[in-house]
Amino acid sequence: MQSSTPAGDTQRGAGLLQTTRRSLLGSIGAAAGLGLASGDGRAQISGGIPGTGDVYFVTRNETPAAERGRGNGTGRGSGTYLVVDGSTGSVSLATDDTADVAFQHAFDQLGESGGTVVASAHTFEFGGPATVGDDTLVTGQRGTRLVASQTGSRDDPAPTERQENPLPTGHDLLRVRGDNVAVTDIEFDGAGTQLDNQAVQADGCDGLLVANTRTVNGFQMGISFTRCTNVTVRDNEVVDPNWYGITSRSAPAGGESDLRRSSDVVIAGNRVSGMKFNNIAPYNVSHFVVSGNVVFDGGHSLIACSPAQRGAIVGNVCRDLHEFAPDPGGEAGIEIEYKETHLRDAIAGTPAARSADITIAGNQVAGCPVGILSRTVPADSDETEARREQRPHGFTVTGNAVSGAADAGIRVRSGERGVVATNTLRDIGTAIDVADGYTAGLQMGLNATGP
């Protein structure tokens, strides 16, 4: 039977939470700078991190269920997951429900000025998403692991040869729905779920940081943000999501949040690998930078902006792309694209529907069918006029090193007013491939080719 103990029902003997308290404060207190435990393991009053607002700890009670409550004979506060008030050391919630209940309680306890929720170095098994509000830092320890659960199954519209429909569906772990939020130092585990979920999904936020996290074992998208401004996604590892790694799309595809525009975005220093579509996909994004990432083992172009405006893709390492259901012109290490199926009705036919003013510079691209690609993909492949009317424009491709591209080092299937210069192209059959009928105003020169 599930049980929970709310705030106020926390009187207990010293023995009740001694094991949990020591585990919690041993793993959290020193790292967070809190003096919350005395020598005998008793919580002390008025611990806190100056300037952080409210502080709550979420931990897991490792005491066997049969032994819980022996300190006072009541069993109060003996749930599997505990939420501890950092200012008093008292248990705000103890629950045998899934971990999302504990995290949601902690988020809801934060006052108007926000605060910090610290997760201990345990595995937390979620039954659904927890929603983060304004002015919140969610942080973990080495060993903090949030695990998703399966909610059902459905067919993936594009399974790989290794996948057999139906695929397991899941749920988001953390949904960010507030401004000025940071999520750091947590491992997110999809537990094999492949559709309708993300590790972190932010929507409608101003001020988002996702840093030093690890995403493994599934999810449709790893880290996603939609309708957001002032976004930083840095120093994360994303391994083997089903569709996208770090993206401004949303799951489920076609939902209310999917393909909504974001701006002022930094995606830097991440390691992203093993998916069927794009490793990093800033779709419908303006004023952005994708920098210093290591991306490999993807099925579509490893880094793709489709569409995007006024951005820079600089200093990334892209390698070993294995094509999955390629679009016309193949797939590339880095791609600038107009793609009609990536547009909502509100921006179709507006300047925001075309990729413009993109700088691609100083990247290393190796082992991809195409090194760098500019193209237009209309919904109707026979509608070739779109390749002239909706082509990317104003782009700059300079100072990149491309090697081992089987099809082309740099391919411009459609584009106008672009500069392709001072790139180094080695071990490539066709160094630069330009579709003359769908390009205009290109400037090219000083590109070096060789074995």
Side-chain angles (χ1 to χ4, degrees):
M1 176 181 296
Q2 292 179 341
S3 65
S4 61
T5 304
D9 191 15
T10 57
Q11 297 298 318
R12 68 190 74 78
L16 174 61
L17 291 177
Q18 183 169 337
T19 300
T20 297
R21 185 182 295 116
R22 285 176 173 167
S23 173
L24 168 68
L25 299 177
S27 63
I28 290 180
L34 297 177
L36 289 179
S38 64
D40 65 359
R42 294 176 181 270
Q44 295 182 353
I45 304 300
S46 66
I49 305 173
T52 61
D54 297 330
V55 179
Y56 283 83
F57 302 127
V58 183
T59 189
R60 182 165 186 154
N61 190 348
E62 301 293 354
T63 305
E67 298 179 13
R68 297 177 195 167
R70 286 183 178 177
N72 61 5
T74 68
R76 291 175 178 175
S78 62
T80 300
Y81 297 110
L82 308 177
V83 180
V84 179
D85 186 336
S87 65
T88 66
S90 64
V91 174
S92 179
L93 176 75
T95 179
D96 283 326
D97 211 324
T98 49
D100 50 290
V101 173
F103 278 89
Q104 192 62 64
H105 176 83
F107 298 146
D108 292 344
Q109 297 313 297
L110 301 179
E112 291 185 1
S113 61
T116 302
V117 172
V118 185
S120 63
H122 291 96
T123 294
F124 297 91
E125 296 166 352
F126 278 53
T131 301
V132 185
D134 293 336
D135 303 305
T136 302
L137 165 62
V138 188
T139 189
Q141 313 272 295
R142 179 176 296 177
T144 300
R145 186 165 160 260
L146 311 188
V147 183
S149 57
Q150 185 173 343
T151 59
S153 62
R154 69 175 178 88
D155 285 351
D156 189 321
T160 68
E161 292 181 356
R162 298 188 303 273
Q163 294 174 323
E164 183 176 345
N165 274 326
L167 299 181
T169 58
H171 55 82
D172 301 339
L173 283 173
L174 294 183
R175 287 180 178 165
V176 180
R177 298 296 186 265
D179 299 338
N180 304 316
V181 172
V183 178
T184 69
D185 301 289
I186 295 171
E187 180 171 278
F188 298 97
D189 189 331
T193 55
Q194 299 290 303
L195 294 171
D196 302 340
N197 58 350
Q198 291 106 154
V200 178
Q201 204 290 313
D203 185 53
C205 307
D206 182 4
L208 171 70
L209 170 67
V210 182
N212 302 314
T213 71
R214 189 165 187 260
T215 298
V216 298
N217 296 333
F219 299 104
Q220 185 169 346
M221 325 283 193
I223 299 168
S224 79
F225 53 90
T226 52
R227 291 186 282 205
C228 291
T229 59
N230 187 20
V231 176
T232 300
V233 182
R234 63 167 175 81
D235 302 322
N236 304 283
E237 183 177 19
V238 182
V239 182
D240 295 338
N242 185 20
W243 279 30
Y244 296 90
I246 299 170
T247 181
S248 52
R249 293 205 64 168
S250 176
E256 175 64 21
S257 299
D258 191 27
L259 297 173
R260 298 287 190 171
R261 287 182 59 76
S262 295
S263 67
D264 303 306
V265 172
V266 176
I267 302 173
N270 303 283
R271 186 176 188 268
V272 189
S273 63
M275 59 220 65
K276 69 174 68 167
F277 295 127
N278 307 122
N279 296 45
I280 296 177
Y283 290 1
N284 296 285
V285 169
S286 62
H287 305 285
F288 70 96
V289 62
V290 179
S291 177
N293 302 282
V294 176
V295 293
F296 57 98
D297 189 23
H300 269 27
S301 296
L302 300 178
I303 299 174
C305 53
S306 174
Q309 301 82 37
R310 293 182 175 84
I313 302 172
V314 296
N316 302 284
V317 176
C318 307
R319 70 174 193 269
D320 300 333
L321 185 154
H322 307 286
E323 284 184 317
F324 172 76
D327 286 322
E331 303 299 335
I334 300 172
E335 174 186 52
I336 310 169
E337 185 180 55
Y338 165 93
K339 194 169 188 178
E340 194 169 354
T341 57
H342 292 167
L343 306 178
R344 298 185 75 96
D345 291 342
I347 69 164
T350 73
R354 297 176 63 190
S355 287
D357 300 322
I358 308 297
T359 298
I360 299 175
N363 301 282
Q364 292 275 345
V365 182
C368 301
V370 179
I372 298 169
L373 173 64
S374 172
R375 68 171 164 204
T376 296
V377 183
D380 182 353
S381 59
D382 295 328
E383 190 182 343
T384 56
E385 190 58 31
R387 292 177 61 190
R388 298 185 184 90
E389 295 178 351
Q390 305 295 341
R391 55 197 176 193
H393 61 95
F395 53 86
T396 302
V397 180
T398 59
N400 302 283
V402 180
S403 62
D407 297 334
I410 299 172
R411 173 172 283 165
V412 185
R413 277 181 53 86
S414 62
E416 62 178 300
R417 290 185 286 118
V419 175
V420 179
T422 67
N423 300 285
T424 301
L425 309 164
R426 297 189 178 94
D427 189 23
I428 295 169
T430 300
I432 299 177
D433 178 18
V434 176
D436 292 333
Y438 302 101
T439 57
L442 298 185
Q443 299 182 51
M444 294 184 290
L446 299 178
N447 296 292
T449 62

